[in-house]
Amino acid sequence: DDVDCTALAMAVFLRDGHICRGKQCTDVARLILLNKNPDGVIETYFPPRGIRENRVDPATTSNVMRFVYATGFEAEARKSEDYLFNCLQSEEYMNKCYYYVCPEAFFFFLSTAIVLNDPARRRFESLLVENIRKRFGTTKFPLDCAMRVLALADRKSTRLNSSHIT
């Protein structure tokens, strides 16, 4: 039904060696990449969508980009990458994530995507870290704090002690 679950499952299967980079991945990637809104951003739901037409979500788009980067189709998803960058820059993720409970989910999913693609990592990393830092102290929910920690876990230059994470 949706590109989020499809892309996330394919990325995990690919990472864990349950599928290989070949026709199977290419076919699914192409199906996802054809599912764009008029602005060229990958939509959350596959057709037929009904009331979900043109639905785009930063967290789900991050999961899609994880699969796109893993399969090497990033050139065909530039508008989706730009959408994510604009959401991060403008902080639209605060109001546009429909399916996940906190903005930190977006941070976590985006961080898992950009580590797979050096140009994306260079583009997003400092802005992502800046946005995560802005969320320090805004909530003490364990899930929010854990997602902040996980989103920062691969960034040696921004290691923080636990007193700074909440």
Side-chain angles (χ1 to χ4, degrees), residues 65-119:
M65 292 306 294
R66 179 179 175 184
F67 179 58
V68 167
Y69 292 144
T71 54
F73 286 98
E74 57 272 6
E76 296 178 40
R78 288 283 178 240
K79 301 263 182 173
S80 295
E81 184 180 290
D82 292 344
Y83 164 76
L84 290 175
F85 189 81
N86 291 335
C87 282
L88 192 59
Q89 193 170 43
S90 67
E91 299 181 21
E92 284 183 42
Y93 60 84
M94 294 292 292
N95 301 313
K96 294 236 179 187
C97 291
Y98 303 107
Y99 306 105
Y100 294 94
V101 297
C102 58
E104 284 77 5
F106 168 61
F107 298 152
F108 171 70
F109 294 135
L110 182 60
S111 74
T112 65
I114 65 172
V115 297
L116 299 176
N117 182 277
D118 287 338

Side-chain angles (χ1 to χ4, degrees), residues 1 14 27 65 71 95 99 140-141 151 163:
D1 285 343
L14 184 62
D27 289 349
M65 292 306 294
T71 54
N95 301 313
Y99 306 105
K140 300 259 183 198
F141 293 116
S163 66

